[in-house]
Amino acid sequence: MSVPRPDREAMPTIETIVTRRIPPIPWVEGDNIPWDDPAFSQRMLDEHLSQDNDLASRRVALIDEQVDWIHEALLGRTPSRILDLACGPGLYLQRLAPLGHAGVGLDFSPAAISYAKARAGELPLVYGCTDLRTADFGAGFDLALLLYGQLNVFRRTEAASILQKARAALNPEGLILIEPQRFDAVRSQALNPPTWSALPSGLFSDRPHLLLTETYWNEETRTGIERFFVVDAGSGVVSAYSMSTEAYQDEELADLLADAGFACSEIADGFVPAGQTKDLVALVGRG
Ligand SMILES: C[S@@+](CC[C@H](N)C(=O)[O-])C[C@H]1O[C@@H](n2cnc3c(N)ncnc32)[C@H](O)[C@@H]1O
């Protein structure tokens, strides 16, 4: 294994950590972990597919329950065209298609989209590797999905724009199912104490490293900020990542959907699995 030889003048070092700004300003140091980096996305794909945790995607038993809910309770078994925004490896569309639905899945993780494409086979599914903030969503859909807390990790203006683009991509009577993180869950996660771990390899690096994380809550903007510092054990080089998470009260979520052009919305009881209702809430917006 070759150890990188950093140019110490140019590379971030531990000083980056020692001199970090406290508290951080939401969104200034970065907007998310590097889902779209090819190597990171390959490592993240293992987390999506892992049946040991519900970290990046849920375990399949829970996804199966949610797919049943979409097919039966939301769509009344009517064959539909479904747009899955931030679809990851396509675990929902892959199960919805054999029930009679067609779909388009968009995500900017190259490894997740390659996996989804490889699994689609003859099913009427199309996947695109693209950033939702700039992507064209197409048109003619009956249902749009934005699941597993993803709405909160966009800036408020970006979340509003994504919902507007989703509305425009739907048929007049179209539905959207969003599953944001709950306000209190974002806040309490942001108040967690710092952690560190020494890892032989992990999500952020396939080499031995130290991973340091810390979180902050910005009460004024109602934003959680999470920092990750990855210190390479061989070179001492530090990689820094930061993600911000916006916290919304349920009424604000209803307003977001109304502002995007949805005529009405309601809380979708029954979509979020029983063990996860403390963290996530689901809403359906109707065209
Ligand atoms: C928590 S995972 C959920 C994946 C999928 N919805 C599921 O539940 O299995 C979040 C996904 O959002 C994607 N994502 C994050 N920011 C994105 C962006 N700006 N454009 C497209 N995809 C994005 C990531 O690549 C990742 O696949």
Side-chain angles (χ1 to χ4, degrees), residues 32 35-36 48 55-58 63 84-89 91-92 106-109 112 130-133 147-148 150 153-154:
N32 206 331
W35 295 94
D36 53 341
H48 279 290
L55 217 77
S57 292
R58 295 176 163 99
I63 293 177
D84 189 354
L85 299 169
C87 63
L91 304 177
Y92 289 79
L106 303 178
D107 198 290
F108 72 174
S109 157
T130 183
D131 189 325
L132 296 185
R133 294 168 290 189
L147 305 182
Y148 218 18
Q150 197 54 33
V153 299
F154 293 107

Side-chain angles (χ1 to χ4, degrees), residues 18 44 93 109 117 145 152-153 176 218 221 235 255 270:
V18 175
M44 184 60 98
L93 288 179
S109 157
K117 283 182 176 169
L145 306 173
N152 307 70
V153 299
I176 189 166
N218 186 314
T221 60
S235 65
D255 288 347

Side-chain angles (χ1 to χ4, degrees), residues 24-32 133 150-159 218 221-226 242-248:
I25 301 170
W27 300 105
V28 164
E29 293 168 31
D31 47 16
N32 206 331
R133 294 168 290 189
Q150 197 54 33
L151 182 84
N152 307 70
V153 299
F154 293 107
R155 289 173 174 81
R156 286 170 195 268
T157 49
E158 291 169 347
N218 186 314
T221 60
R222 289 159 295 132
T223 314
I225 305 122
E226 189 164 9
S242 172
M243 72 182 286
S244 292
T245 306
E246 299 293 349
Y248 298 95

